Amino acid sequence: MAPTHPIRRVAGVVILAIAGVFLAPASSGGPLDRTVVVGSARHYLLVLPEGRDPKVALPLVFVFHGSGNTGAIMQEQIGMTEVARAKDFIAAFPDGLGKHWNGGISDPDSLAAARSDDVAFVSAMIDQIGTEQRVDPRRVYATGSSNGAIFCYTLACRLSDRIAAIAPVSGLLGESLSGRYHPKHPVSLISFNGTDDPLLHFAGEPYDGRSLMSVNDSVAYWVRRDQCDPTPSVTQDPPSPLDDGVTIIRIAYHGGTDGTAVEAFVIAHGGHTWPGHRTDPGWAKTAGKTAMSISANELMLDFFLHHPKP
């Protein structure tokens, strides 16, 4: 079913008010290989800012790959390593079991979820990284693409005591997740979605046998949860030759509990892509257009720095 695109009418737009630890050596300056046991041995890459002051507690951002990818692919391809280091973030790039994340929309009591408790994996990584590095516990964040973005919404719902903000890219919130879990703490949100996303439709859809909310409803859920001002500010970026005909619309809700905020970047005519990361031409035939006049990496890390836990 083709998605509807209510955001394209910008001038009159109405948005819904929406155990064990093993260390492996790494080359100087490169990502560090890390393993933590959570039922089974789980792997991730850790990237540290260069020239950091070991006495200063730094923010930590998790970057979750999409289905079929790996943490190494995310670390190598989207440019987050360079931006995180420049902004003094510690960045972690985990591997999902079977190159997939669960907990986004699956029943957490199911056998499949029991075999891969990804929420427990993230909690264990936070603990482990905190024993090795000086991490600011008020500044732990998550971003991800596609299946990894869906998982970010999971963490916001189920690990709200540890996650300060999330930045899902081309992802949606699962209906069953929002109905079953009620975050005890506010979590800020900055999201990026294309209205012509061919894989996770802007209007929502079934996914892995479960239902995903639309972008509007995913955003509205967090506006309500964070108790933001329901009247957003809506702006449209000037046309850019870098963007190949896409239009960037920014919707921001402020005034949330404990200083939280919700911001949605809607890429009109955009696809299943990461803004600021040039898509491989072969993949672009499936994924669609990419916004190149903005950098999701820069925008989300700046947003994170302004939205710690209280």
Side-chain angles (χ1 to χ4, degrees):
M1 180 176 66
T4 58
H5 310 308
I7 305 247
R8 287 181 176 173
R9 294 183 296 112
V10 179
V13 66
V14 177
I15 307 299
L16 291 179
I18 65 150
V21 177
F22 301 91
L23 307 183
S27 60
S28 176
L32 308 175
D33 281 301
R34 292 292 183 260
T35 305
V36 62
V37 175
V38 185
S40 61
R42 302 293 301 270
H43 175 261
Y44 63 99
L45 296 175
L46 192 67
V47 173
L48 306 175
E50 296 175 350
R52 68 194 183 282
D53 184 344
K55 297 180 181 179
V56 176
L58 298 180
L60 168 64
V61 57
F62 289 97
V63 186
F64 297 100
H65 60 75
S67 186
N69 287 327
T70 65
I73 289 175
M74 292 294 282
Q75 189 271 322
E76 293 170 357
Q77 292 190 353
I78 66 168
M80 179 61 80
T81 293
E82 295 76 16
V83 178
R85 280 179 166 161
K87 295 182 181 293
D88 287 332
F89 272 75
I90 298 170
F93 299 84
D95 288 335
L97 288 183
K99 300 182 177 180
H100 185 82
W101 301 103
N102 80 26
I105 48 180
S106 300
D107 183 345
D109 297 328
S110 70
L111 180 60
R115 289 173 176 166
S116 175
D117 190 341
D118 289 333
V119 175
F121 176 35
V122 172
S123 191
M125 284 189 288
I126 295 172
D127 292 339
Q128 176 172 302
I129 296 167
T131 65
E132 294 182 29
Q133 311 293 331
R134 285 187 63 83
V135 174
D136 185 345
R138 298 171 57 244
R139 297 179 183 273
V140 179
Y141 307 101
T143 184
S145 173
S146 193
N147 171 237
I150 295 171
F151 183 56
C152 287
Y153 280 116
T154 299
L155 293 176
C157 287
R158 298 183 59 189
L159 209 61
S160 65
D161 59 327
R162 309 196 76 175
I163 301 296
I166 61 170
V169 179
S170 298
L172 302 166
L173 174 64
E175 287 186 359
S176 61
L177 183 77
S178 64
R180 179 164 184 160
Y181 296 99
H182 305 288
K184 296 180 180 179
H185 305 273
V187 177
S188 291
L189 165 72
I190 180 171
S191 63
F192 302 84
N193 294 88
T195 60
D196 290 352
D197 188 327
L199 302 180
L200 292 178
H201 295 165
F202 194 87
E205 64 176 331
Y207 177 86
D208 279 0
R210 306 281 176 165
S211 294
L212 293 176
M213 292 183 175
S214 68
V215 171
N216 281 6
D217 289 344
S218 298
V219 172
Y221 174 87
W222 287 103
V223 171
R224 292 192 300 269
R225 279 286 166 192
D226 291 341
Q227 298 183 15
C228 296
D229 183 338
T231 302
S233 63
V234 181
T235 59
Q236 178 178 328
D237 286 8
S240 169
L242 298 175
D243 285 337
D244 190 24
V246 306
T247 300
I248 299 165
I249 305 158
R250 306 176 184 222
I251 305 104
Y253 301 82
H254 295 292
T257 303
D258 295 330
T260 50
V262 173
E263 295 189 11
F265 281 75
V266 173
I267 316 301
H269 307 292
H272 194 78
T273 53
W274 191 283
H277 166 60
R278 193 165 299 283
T279 306
D280 174 86
W283 172 240
K285 293 179 181 179
T286 297
K289 294 181 178 180
T290 306
M292 291 300 296
S293 64
I294 60 171
S295 165
N297 295 342
E298 294 276 357
L299 289 164
M300 70 176 65
L301 293 190
D302 286 343
F303 180 86
F304 289 164
L305 288 173
H306 287 91
H307 295 93
K309 286 288 188 193

